[in-house]
Protein backbone atom coordinates (compact mmCIF):
# COMPACT_ATOMS: atom_id res chain seq x y z
CA UNK A 1 0.00 0.00 0.00
CA UNK A 2 1.12 3.56 -0.60
CA UNK A 3 -0.26 7.06 0.03
CA UNK A 4 -1.28 8.88 -3.17
CA UNK A 5 -3.24 11.84 -1.77
CA UNK A 6 -3.28 13.98 1.37
CA UNK A 7 -5.47 16.72 2.79
CA UNK A 8 -6.15 18.53 6.04
CA UNK A 9 -8.40 21.24 7.43
CA UNK A 10 -8.43 23.27 10.63
CA UNK A 11 -11.06 25.51 12.18
CA UNK A 12 -10.58 29.25 11.60
CA UNK A 13 -10.69 30.21 15.27
CA UNK A 14 -7.18 30.39 16.74
CA UNK A 15 -7.04 30.36 20.54
CA UNK A 16 -3.83 31.40 22.26
CA UNK A 17 -2.63 30.36 25.71
CA UNK A 18 -3.14 33.95 26.86
CA UNK A 19 -6.78 33.76 25.80
CA UNK A 20 -7.22 30.62 27.96
CA UNK A 21 -5.48 32.34 30.89
CA UNK A 22 -8.25 34.95 30.64
CA UNK A 23 -10.80 32.47 32.07
CA UNK A 24 -8.78 29.55 33.48
CA UNK A 25 -6.23 29.44 36.30
CA UNK A 26 -3.37 28.81 33.88
CA UNK A 27 -0.61 30.69 32.08
CA UNK A 28 1.22 30.75 28.78
CA UNK A 29 4.44 29.78 30.59
CA UNK A 30 2.84 26.70 32.23
CA UNK A 31 1.28 25.47 28.99
CA UNK A 32 4.34 26.05 26.80
CA UNK A 33 6.82 24.60 29.29
CA UNK A 34 4.72 21.48 30.09
CA UNK A 35 3.38 20.76 26.59
CA UNK A 36 5.03 22.94 23.91
CA UNK A 37 1.57 24.17 22.80
CA UNK A 38 1.20 27.90 21.97
CA UNK A 39 -2.11 27.97 20.11
CA UNK A 40 -4.89 25.61 19.00
CA UNK A 41 -7.66 25.89 16.40
CA UNK A 42 -11.14 25.34 17.86
CA UNK A 43 -14.47 24.80 16.14
CA UNK A 44 -16.75 27.80 16.51
CA UNK A 45 -18.75 28.56 13.38
CA UNK A 46 -17.89 25.39 11.38
CA UNK A 47 -18.92 21.81 12.03
CA UNK A 48 -16.61 18.82 12.24
CA UNK A 49 -18.14 17.25 9.14
CA UNK A 50 -17.41 20.45 7.15
CA UNK A 51 -13.74 20.19 8.14
CA UNK A 52 -13.71 16.49 7.27
CA UNK A 53 -15.20 17.23 3.83
CA UNK A 54 -12.58 19.90 3.08
CA UNK A 55 -9.72 17.60 4.13
CA UNK A 56 -11.15 14.68 2.15
CA UNK A 57 -11.76 16.78 -0.99
CA UNK A 58 -8.16 17.96 -1.09
CA UNK A 59 -6.89 14.41 -0.50
CA UNK A 60 -9.02 13.08 -3.38
CA UNK A 61 -8.01 15.98 -5.63
CA UNK A 62 -4.29 15.43 -4.96
CA UNK A 63 -4.63 11.69 -5.63
CA UNK A 64 -5.78 12.40 -9.19
CA UNK A 65 -8.74 10.04 -8.66
CA UNK A 66 -12.39 10.80 -9.26
CA UNK A 67 -14.61 10.34 -6.17
CA UNK A 68 -16.42 7.44 -7.93
CA UNK A 69 -13.13 5.53 -8.04
CA UNK A 70 -12.86 5.40 -4.24
CA UNK A 71 -14.13 1.98 -3.20
CA UNK A 72 -13.99 2.25 0.62
CA UNK A 73 -14.17 5.02 3.21
CA UNK A 74 -12.69 4.49 6.65
CA UNK A 75 -13.36 7.29 9.10
CA UNK A 76 -11.27 7.61 12.24
CA UNK A 77 -13.36 9.46 14.82
CA UNK A 78 -13.64 9.14 18.58
CA UNK A 79 -17.04 10.89 18.71
CA UNK A 80 -19.05 13.58 16.98
CA UNK A 81 -22.51 14.98 17.45
CA UNK A 82 -24.06 11.78 16.11
CA UNK A 83 -23.67 8.36 17.66
CA UNK A 84 -25.52 7.10 14.60
CA UNK A 85 -25.24 7.52 11.63
CA UNK A 86 -21.49 7.14 11.42
CA UNK A 87 -19.30 10.07 10.43
CA UNK A 88 -18.43 8.06 7.31
CA UNK A 89 -22.10 7.93 6.27
CA UNK A 90 -22.42 11.69 6.75
CA UNK A 91 -19.44 12.30 4.45
CA UNK A 92 -20.39 10.01 1.55
CA UNK A 93 -22.91 12.15 -0.36
CA UNK A 94 -21.14 15.54 -0.01
CA UNK A 95 -17.95 13.89 -1.31
CA UNK A 96 -19.74 12.20 -4.22
CA UNK A 97 -18.74 8.76 -2.92
CA UNK A 98 -20.77 5.65 -3.39
CA UNK A 99 -18.98 2.98 -1.39
CA UNK A 100 -19.09 1.14 1.94
CA UNK A 101 -17.93 3.07 4.98
CA UNK A 102 -17.44 2.67 8.68
CA UNK A 103 -16.12 4.63 11.65
CA UNK A 104 -13.25 3.42 13.75
CA UNK A 105 -12.52 4.60 17.29
CA UNK A 106 -8.82 3.99 17.83
CA UNK A 107 -8.55 7.16 19.94
CA UNK A 108 -5.42 9.14 18.97
CA UNK A 109 -3.96 6.02 17.29
CA UNK A 110 -7.01 5.80 15.00
CA UNK A 111 -5.22 6.90 11.83
CA UNK A 112 -2.62 4.14 12.16
CA UNK A 113 -5.35 1.60 12.98
CA UNK A 114 -7.20 2.77 9.85
CA UNK A 115 -4.07 2.45 7.72
CA UNK A 116 -3.53 -1.09 9.01
CA UNK A 117 -7.10 -2.09 8.05
CA UNK A 118 -6.78 -0.39 4.65
CA UNK A 119 -3.54 -2.33 4.06
CA UNK A 120 -5.32 -5.60 4.85
CA UNK A 121 -8.26 -4.68 2.55
CA UNK A 122 -5.87 -3.88 -0.29
CA UNK A 123 -3.83 -7.06 0.26
CA UNK A 124 -6.95 -9.24 0.21
CA UNK A 125 -8.40 -7.42 -2.81
CA UNK A 126 -11.45 -6.26 -0.83
CA UNK A 127 -10.78 -2.68 -1.91
CA UNK A 128 -8.26 -0.95 -4.17
CA UNK A 129 -8.59 2.77 -3.56
CA UNK A 130 -9.40 3.74 0.00
CA UNK A 131 -10.08 7.15 1.51
CA UNK A 132 -9.16 7.48 5.18
CA UNK A 133 -10.52 10.51 7.01
CA UNK A 134 -9.47 11.31 10.58
CA UNK A 135 -11.74 13.98 12.03
CA UNK A 136 -11.77 14.95 15.67
CA UNK A 137 -13.31 17.59 17.92
CA UNK A 138 -11.75 16.89 21.35
CA UNK A 139 -12.55 20.46 22.42
CA UNK A 140 -16.18 19.31 22.66
CA UNK A 141 -15.28 16.56 25.18
CA UNK A 142 -13.56 18.86 27.68
CA UNK A 143 -14.87 20.61 30.74
CA UNK A 144 -13.87 24.19 29.97
CA UNK A 145 -13.83 25.08 33.67
CA UNK A 146 -10.94 22.63 34.20
CA UNK A 147 -7.42 23.61 33.22
CA UNK A 148 -6.06 20.04 33.31
CA UNK A 149 -7.54 18.90 29.98
CA UNK A 150 -8.99 21.84 28.04
CA UNK A 151 -5.62 23.52 27.35
CA UNK A 152 -4.23 20.41 25.63
CA UNK A 153 -6.52 19.85 22.69
CA UNK A 154 -7.37 21.31 19.31
CA UNK A 155 -9.87 20.33 16.62
CA UNK A 156 -8.97 19.29 13.09
CA UNK A 157 -9.29 16.83 10.23
CA UNK A 158 -6.88 15.04 7.95
CA UNK A 159 -7.35 12.66 5.04
CA UNK A 160 -5.24 10.20 3.07
CA UNK A 161 -5.96 8.29 -0.14
CA UNK A 162 -4.18 4.94 -0.30
CA UNK A 163 -3.88 2.29 -2.99
CA UNK A 164 -1.68 -0.65 -4.02
CA UNK A 165 2.02 0.13 -4.05
CA UNK A 166 5.39 -0.35 -2.41
CA UNK A 167 5.10 2.12 0.45
CA UNK A 168 4.14 0.63 3.81
CA UNK A 169 6.36 -2.08 5.25
CA UNK A 170 4.39 -3.41 8.22
CA UNK A 171 2.40 -2.36 11.25
CA UNK A 172 2.53 -2.89 14.98
CA UNK A 173 -0.72 -2.30 16.86
CA UNK A 174 -1.29 -2.86 20.57
CA UNK A 175 -4.20 -2.63 22.99
CA UNK A 176 -4.56 -2.85 26.75
CA UNK A 177 -7.33 -1.99 29.24
CA UNK A 178 -6.60 1.23 31.14
CA UNK A 179 -10.04 2.81 31.03
CA UNK A 180 -9.44 4.77 34.23
CA UNK A 181 -6.66 7.04 32.93
CA UNK A 182 -8.54 8.68 30.05
CA UNK A 183 -12.28 8.55 29.41
CA UNK A 184 -15.33 10.48 28.24
CA UNK A 185 -18.79 9.11 29.07
CA UNK A 186 -22.02 9.95 27.29
CA UNK A 187 -25.51 10.14 28.79
CA UNK A 188 -27.69 7.02 28.60
CA UNK A 189 -31.46 6.98 28.30
CA UNK A 190 -33.38 5.46 31.17
CA UNK A 191 -35.27 2.30 30.16
CA UNK A 192 -38.12 0.42 31.90
CA UNK A 193 -35.47 -2.12 32.92
CA UNK A 194 -32.50 0.05 33.79
CA UNK A 195 -33.34 3.23 35.64
CA UNK A 196 -29.81 4.28 36.41
CA UNK A 197 -29.44 7.63 34.71
CA UNK A 198 -26.03 8.20 33.14
CA UNK A 199 -25.08 11.82 32.50
CA UNK A 200 -22.41 12.93 30.06
CA UNK A 201 -19.10 13.20 31.88
CA UNK A 202 -16.56 15.49 30.21
CA UNK A 203 -13.10 14.13 29.53
CA UNK A 204 -11.33 12.79 32.62
CA UNK A 205 -7.59 12.29 32.37
CA UNK A 206 -4.77 11.32 34.68
CA UNK A 207 -2.14 13.27 32.76
CA UNK A 208 0.88 11.87 34.58
CA UNK A 209 -0.23 8.26 34.05
CA UNK A 210 -1.04 8.86 30.36
CA UNK A 211 2.37 10.51 29.95
CA UNK A 212 4.18 7.48 31.42
CA UNK A 213 2.10 4.95 29.47
CA UNK A 214 2.66 6.91 26.26
CA UNK A 215 6.43 7.17 26.55
CA UNK A 216 6.85 3.54 27.62
CA UNK A 217 4.55 2.15 24.91
CA UNK A 218 5.84 4.31 22.05
CA UNK A 219 9.47 3.52 22.82
CA UNK A 220 8.61 -0.20 22.81
CA UNK A 221 6.67 0.11 19.53
CA UNK A 222 9.45 2.04 17.83
CA UNK A 223 12.15 -0.41 18.99
CA UNK A 224 10.12 -3.43 17.92
CA UNK A 225 9.09 -2.09 14.51
CA UNK A 226 12.65 -1.01 13.73
CA UNK A 227 13.93 -4.47 14.65
CA UNK A 228 11.15 -6.18 12.65
CA UNK A 229 12.37 -4.30 9.57
CA UNK A 230 16.09 -4.82 10.24
CA UNK A 231 16.53 -1.06 10.70
CA UNK A 232 18.10 1.18 13.31
CA UNK A 233 17.06 4.66 14.43
CA UNK A 234 19.62 6.10 11.98
CA UNK A 235 17.83 4.57 8.98
CA UNK A 236 14.67 6.60 9.59
CA UNK A 237 14.61 9.97 7.82
CA UNK A 238 11.64 11.40 9.71
CA UNK A 239 9.70 10.35 12.79
CA UNK A 240 6.09 11.53 12.51
CA UNK A 241 4.76 11.04 16.02
CA UNK A 242 1.37 11.75 17.56
CA UNK A 243 1.32 15.47 18.33
CA UNK A 244 0.25 15.46 21.98
CA UNK A 245 3.12 16.86 23.99
CA UNK A 246 6.62 18.02 23.02
CA UNK A 247 8.03 16.39 26.17
CA UNK A 248 6.64 12.99 25.11
CA UNK A 249 8.21 13.41 21.66
CA UNK A 250 11.51 14.51 23.26
CA UNK A 251 11.56 11.46 25.54
CA UNK A 252 11.20 9.15 22.51
CA UNK A 253 13.82 11.13 20.59
CA UNK A 254 16.28 10.97 23.51
CA UNK A 255 15.79 7.19 23.77
CA UNK A 256 16.61 6.86 20.06
CA UNK A 257 19.52 9.31 20.25
CA UNK A 258 18.38 10.97 17.04
CA UNK A 259 18.60 14.68 16.09
CA UNK A 260 15.67 17.10 16.59
CA UNK A 261 15.42 17.77 12.82
CA UNK A 262 14.13 14.22 12.33
CA UNK A 263 11.10 14.94 14.55
CA UNK A 264 8.95 17.57 12.82
CA UNK A 265 6.15 18.94 14.99
CA UNK A 266 3.13 21.18 14.63
CA UNK A 267 1.54 20.71 18.06
CA UNK A 268 2.83 24.20 18.89
CA UNK A 269 0.17 25.59 16.52
CA UNK A 270 -2.60 23.01 16.74
CA UNK A 271 -2.41 21.28 20.15
CA UNK A 272 -3.44 17.64 20.31
CA UNK A 273 -5.92 16.97 17.49
CA UNK A 274 -6.24 13.29 18.44
CA UNK A 275 -6.21 10.89 15.48
CA UNK A 276 -6.12 13.78 12.98
CA UNK A 277 -2.68 14.91 14.17
CA UNK A 278 -0.30 12.69 12.18
CA UNK A 279 -2.33 13.16 8.98
CA UNK A 280 -2.23 16.96 9.36
CA UNK A 281 1.54 16.74 9.82
CA UNK A 282 1.96 14.51 6.74
CA UNK A 283 -0.20 16.82 4.62
CA UNK A 284 1.66 19.97 5.70
CA UNK A 285 5.12 18.46 5.23
CA UNK A 286 4.24 16.89 1.90
CA UNK A 287 2.76 20.10 0.49
CA UNK A 288 5.81 22.04 1.72
CA UNK A 289 8.08 19.61 -0.19
CA UNK A 290 9.66 18.37 3.04
CA UNK A 291 8.92 14.69 2.44
CA UNK A 292 11.58 13.60 -0.05
CA UNK A 293 10.84 10.90 -2.59
CA UNK A 294 12.06 7.58 -1.14
CA UNK A 295 12.36 8.96 2.42
CA UNK A 296 11.80 6.40 5.18
CA UNK A 297 9.13 7.58 7.64
CA UNK A 298 8.17 6.09 10.97
CA UNK A 299 4.69 6.89 12.32
CA UNK A 300 3.81 6.20 15.95
CA UNK A 301 0.77 7.14 18.04
CA UNK A 302 -0.86 6.34 21.38
CA UNK A 303 -4.34 6.96 22.69
CA UNK A 304 -7.02 6.31 25.26
CA UNK A 305 -7.88 2.70 25.82
CA UNK A 306 -4.88 2.25 26.00
CA UNK A 307 -4.00 1.67 22.35
CA UNK A 308 -0.91 2.27 20.25
CA UNK A 309 0.07 1.94 16.61
CA UNK A 310 3.29 2.26 14.63
CA UNK A 311 4.30 1.74 11.03
CA UNK A 312 7.20 2.37 8.66
CA UNK A 313 6.82 3.49 5.05
CA UNK A 314 8.81 4.71 2.07
CA UNK A 315 7.40 8.02 0.84
CA UNK A 316 6.49 8.66 -2.81
CA UNK A 317 6.16 12.28 -3.90
CA UNK A 318 2.63 13.55 -4.51
CA UNK A 319 2.12 16.18 -7.22
CA UNK A 320 -0.39 18.66 -5.84
CA UNK A 321 -2.56 20.59 -8.28
CA UNK A 322 -1.79 24.31 -8.52
CA UNK A 323 -3.98 26.40 -6.21
CA UNK A 324 -6.54 28.29 -8.27
CA UNK A 325 -6.71 32.07 -7.73
CA UNK A 326 -9.93 33.09 -5.92
O1 LIG B 1 -3.70 11.84 23.24
C1 LIG B 1 -3.64 11.50 24.62
C2 LIG B 1 -3.99 12.72 25.41
N1 LIG B 1 -3.30 12.98 26.62
C3 LIG B 1 -1.99 13.28 26.76
O2 LIG B 1 -1.19 13.20 25.87
C4 LIG B 1 -1.59 13.77 28.12
C5 LIG B 1 -0.24 13.25 28.59
N2 LIG B 1 0.17 14.00 29.77
C6 LIG B 1 0.68 15.22 29.70
O3 LIG B 1 0.85 15.77 28.62
C7 LIG B 1 1.07 15.92 30.99
O4 LIG B 1 0.95 15.00 32.05
C8 LIG B 1 0.22 17.19 31.27
C9 LIG B 1 0.61 18.28 30.30
C10 LIG B 1 -1.25 16.87 31.15
C11 LIG B 1 0.50 17.68 32.69
O5 LIG B 1 1.90 17.92 32.85
P1 LIG B 1 2.64 17.35 34.14
O6 LIG B 1 4.02 17.84 34.08
O7 LIG B 1 2.42 15.87 34.18
O8 LIG B 1 1.88 18.13 35.29
P2 LIG B 1 1.07 17.51 36.52
O9 LIG B 1 -0.18 16.85 36.05
O10 LIG B 1 2.03 16.71 37.34
O11 LIG B 1 0.67 18.85 37.29
C12 LIG B 1 1.66 19.69 37.85
C13 LIG B 1 0.96 20.87 38.48
C14 LIG B 1 -0.22 20.49 39.39
O12 LIG B 1 -0.21 21.36 40.49
P3 LIG B 1 0.44 20.89 41.90
O13 LIG B 1 -0.33 19.67 42.28
O14 LIG B 1 1.88 20.63 41.60
O15 LIG B 1 0.19 22.09 42.76
C15 LIG B 1 -1.43 20.77 38.53
O16 LIG B 1 -2.57 21.09 39.29
O17 LIG B 1 0.41 21.73 37.46
C16 LIG B 1 -0.96 21.99 37.75
N3 LIG B 1 -1.68 22.15 36.48
C17 LIG B 1 -1.74 23.33 35.83
N4 LIG B 1 -1.26 24.54 36.15
C18 LIG B 1 -1.50 25.56 35.27
C19 LIG B 1 -2.33 21.23 35.73
N5 LIG B 1 -2.82 21.77 34.62
C20 LIG B 1 -2.48 23.09 34.65
C21 LIG B 1 -2.69 24.18 33.78
N6 LIG B 1 -2.17 25.38 34.12
N7 LIG B 1 -3.36 24.05 32.60
Amino acid sequence: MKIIGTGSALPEKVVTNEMLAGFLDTSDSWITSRTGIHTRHLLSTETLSELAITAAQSAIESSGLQPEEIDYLICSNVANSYVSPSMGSILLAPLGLCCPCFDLNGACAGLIYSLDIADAFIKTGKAKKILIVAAEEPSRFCNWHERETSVLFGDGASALVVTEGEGFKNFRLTGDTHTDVLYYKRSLEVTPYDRVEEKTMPLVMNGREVFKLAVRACIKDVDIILEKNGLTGEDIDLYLLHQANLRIIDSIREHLGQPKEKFPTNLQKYGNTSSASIGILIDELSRAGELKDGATLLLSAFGGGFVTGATILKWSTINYPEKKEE
Side-chain angles (χ1 to χ4, degrees):
M1 181 173 84
K2 66 174 182 179
I3 296 173
I4 57 166
T6 72
S8 62
L10 291 143
E12 273 194 14
K13 179 87 187 163
V14 178
V15 177
T16 64
N17 293 342
E18 287 84 358
M19 286 159 79
L20 298 183
F23 62 92
L24 287 171
D25 181 16
T26 190
S27 63
D28 177 49
S29 67
W30 191 94
I31 302 171
T32 47
S33 63
R34 301 287 176 133
T35 70
I37 299 165
H38 293 270
T39 58
R40 70 283 295 141
H41 290 233
L42 301 181
L43 286 164
S44 56
T45 53
E46 325 86 331
T47 64
L48 185 62
S49 49
E50 283 166 355
L51 283 191
I53 290 165
T54 306
Q57 279 169 336
S58 43
I60 297 170
E61 191 187 23
S62 62
S63 74
L65 298 176
Q66 293 305 312
E68 315 83 78
E69 294 176 84
I70 303 287
D71 53 11
Y72 225 110
L73 167 62
I74 302 175
C75 198
S76 167
N77 173 248
V78 174
N80 64 86
S81 33
Y82 287 91
V83 173
S84 184
S86 68
M87 175 69 118
S89 306
I90 294 167
L91 302 182
L92 288 176
L95 291 173
L97 304 184
C98 187
C99 63
C101 66
F102 66 88
D103 282 13
L104 179 153
N105 178 353
C108 302
L111 184 74
I112 299 180
Y113 267 69
S114 303
L115 284 165
D116 181 50
I117 291 172
D119 185 51
F121 279 5
I122 287 170
K123 281 191 176 129
T124 57
K126 212 169 186 31
K128 283 207 156 73
K129 296 175 175 75
I130 303 176
L131 171 66
I132 298 173
V133 180
E136 305 284 11
E137 50 183 0
S139 74
R140 303 288 271 180
F141 308 170
C142 295
N143 177 345
W144 282 86
H145 301 289
E146 280 180 8
R147 62 184 183 175
E148 283 78 8
T149 50
S150 51
V151 304
L152 304 175
F153 296 97
D155 305 319
S158 59
L160 301 173
V161 178
V162 291
T163 189
E164 289 161 299
E166 302 285 311
F168 285 83
K169 300 204 178 293
N170 43 36
F171 289 83
R172 172 179 158 80
L173 303 184
T174 74
D176 199 357
T177 305
H178 287 287
T179 40
D180 53 331
V181 295
L182 183 57
Y183 60 89
Y184 168 54
K185 286 177 80 171
R186 74 172 172 91
S187 65
L188 295 177
E189 309 297 334
V190 169
T191 79
Y193 314 105
D194 191 341
R195 299 200 168 271
V196 179
E197 198 182 347
E198 292 278 1
K199 291 224 163 69
T200 294
M201 190 182 284
L203 194 76
V204 175
M205 187 179 71
N206 180 336
R208 271 185 218 182
E209 276 312 304
V210 174
F211 193 105
K212 282 190 263 176
L213 281 168
V215 171
R216 215 180 302 139
C218 287
I219 285 178
K220 193 169 172 191
D221 282 355
V222 170
D223 284 348
I224 290 177
I225 200 151
L226 284 173
E227 198 192 326
K228 226 176 172 179
N229 288 282
L231 300 173
T232 68
E234 307 276 308
D235 299 317
I236 302 297
D237 295 302
L238 290 177
Y239 292 85
L240 308 183
L241 308 184
H242 174 43
Q243 301 290 296
N245 185 321
L246 212 49
R247 286 160 54 217
I248 295 178
I249 295 175
D250 273 343
S251 303
I252 300 165
R253 185 178 63 74
E254 278 160 23
H255 165 78
L256 288 161
Q258 293 297 301
K260 264 203 162 97
E261 307 77 74
K262 284 192 175 188
F263 293 76
T265 54
N266 60 14
L267 65 87
Q268 296 86 343
K269 293 185 288 179
Y270 307 140
N272 178 351
T273 58
S274 188
S275 76
S277 88
I278 290 181
I280 296 172
L281 191 61
I282 291 177
D283 183 51
E284 286 193 341
L285 292 171
S286 175
R287 284 174 194 267
E290 286 172 35
L291 299 182
K292 303 290 173 229
D293 200 50
T296 305
L297 313 180
L298 189 152
L299 318 185
S300 167
F302 61 90
F306 196 77
V307 292
T308 69
T311 183
I312 293 179
L313 69 142
K314 272 234 175 299
W315 185 254
S316 304
T317 300
I318 295 170
N319 295 313
Y320 293 94
E322 296 275 317
K323 262 207 169 142
K324 291 184 198 95
E325 293 295 323
E326 293 287 311

